[in-house]
Amino acid sequence: MSGIIKYEMMIVLNEEFNDNELKIWSFNFAKGLQLLNASEISVISRGKRDFAYLIANRKKGNFIQINFLSLPKYITNFCNILKFDTNVVRYLVINKENTK
């Protein structure tokens, strides 16, 4: 399939989640990517970390890394889902093909 690009996404969630809740959120994010035809999805929990500065009056957040393959047209749709999720503090999507 042409046009498929390798992406890495980092999502920062509220610090209030416990490990079990983080697994559920991570599974839901992966399921959302699957619905948008993403493949080779891997989810890595990076744990709770301190921020370098306050973000939305928060000092800490739970970091989740997701690696996947997708067509570029679906990335905007998924980012819109994250944008309106009140539990997402920040997110970043990196095109891994252009970082060499």
Side-chain angles (χ1 to χ4, degrees), residues 4-8 67-70 94-98:
I4 293 180
I5 297 173
K6 185 176 184 178
Y7 290 99
E8 180 178 302
N67 300 317
F68 60 96
L69 299 175
S70 179
I94 299 171
N95 178 340
K96 295 298 281 187
E97 311 256 325
N98 292 334

Side-chain angles (χ1 to χ4, degrees), residues 15-23 48 62:
E15 69 174 307
E16 290 86 23
F17 293 112
N18 62 36
D19 289 340
N20 194 31
E21 292 170 328
L22 278 178
K23 287 178 186 176
K48 190 178 291 189
N62 288 298

